[in-house]
Amino acid sequence: MNQEINAAFAKAEQILPFLHIIFAMSIVSIQVVLLIGSRYFLKNFSDDYKMVLSFCKKFEISFIILFILLVLSGFIMSKNGDFKFSDPMVEGILNTKFILSGFILLNFGYIYYKLMMIRKNIEKNEVEEVYDNLVIATKYFTSLNIGLCVIGIYLGVVIVEFR
């Protein structure tokens, strides 16, 4: 069975890193989509709140699923024995990536809190609060998460040099 997988275009040990990179790129992509979508809504500020609520709900679900898959694939790759843990640089990079993942998750928690505030403000019909919370969640914290994800991707590329 293993020979069948290795005989194809990709080897078995390349599939998990490939999926890990795809998950990381997808997380960055959905955050960029949130940033662009919120700019459209902020520029053309209208009363179409159902669109904003469905957009935010889809973002939350996809971010959580992709983040879990990303952390899981990174954990499996780090425990797979492909990395030399005798090198302190590899251990430092792995620890930095896990701490960075925790910080990204905390930022997402704050973004989620702000999106929940948007829902409550829509129910109360407080238009200015909706606008302010959307600006804070998207322009500041989503942009910060995009930057942190790019740093995490860079660390993932750097760690391959120590294999």
Side-chain angles (χ1 to χ4, degrees):
M1 175 85 176
N2 193 11
Q3 235 175 5
E4 291 175 17
I5 294 174
N6 286 336
F9 291 106
K11 295 183 180 179
E13 63 266 3
Q14 294 172 338
I15 293 172
L16 191 60
F18 175 72
L19 289 175
H20 186 73
I21 292 169
I22 293 295
F23 296 147
M25 289 181 350
S26 298
I27 284 179
V28 172
S29 298
I30 63 168
Q31 292 182 92
V32 169
V33 167
L34 177 68
L35 198 61
I36 292 171
S38 66
R39 283 191 182 181
Y40 172 77
F41 180 75
L42 293 173
K43 186 177 180 183
N44 305 325
F45 199 67
S46 64
D47 295 333
D48 190 14
Y49 298 120
K50 290 182 181 181
M51 178 188 74
V52 175
L53 289 177
S54 69
F55 188 68
C56 292
K57 188 70 169 173
K58 290 176 185 174
F59 167 74
E60 293 165 358
I61 292 169
S62 59
F63 184 88
I64 290 171
I65 291 170
L66 286 170
F67 191 79
I68 289 170
L69 290 172
L70 179 73
V71 171
L72 185 65
S73 66
F75 182 74
I76 291 171
M77 282 191 317
S78 70
K79 297 298 180 189
N80 200 16
D82 290 339
F83 298 115
K84 298 177 240 170
F85 279 85
S86 61
D87 191 354
M89 286 298 292
V90 172
E91 199 168 337
I93 291 172
L94 285 174
N95 290 336
T96 303
K97 280 184 62 102
F98 282 125
I99 289 180
L100 193 64
S101 297
F103 190 62
I104 290 170
L105 191 60
L106 283 175
N107 279 342
F108 174 73
Y110 188 73
I111 292 170
Y112 179 74
Y113 169 73
K114 284 298 183 182
L115 295 177
M116 293 300 293
M117 294 299 296
I118 289 171
R119 288 188 185 111
K120 289 180 183 177
N121 292 329
I122 287 173
E123 290 173 4
K124 294 178 185 176
N125 203 17
E126 296 175 349
V127 178
E128 290 180 12
E129 292 294 320
V130 171
Y131 185 84
D132 291 342
N133 285 327
L134 193 61
V135 167
I136 291 171
T138 58
K139 284 193 175 182
Y140 299 117
F141 285 93
T142 303
S143 301
L144 177 64
N145 261 2
I146 291 171
L148 292 174
C149 287
V150 169
I151 291 170
I153 292 170
Y154 172 73
L155 289 175
V157 170
V158 168
I159 203 166
V160 174
E161 296 294 324
F162 292 100
R163 288 179 82 185

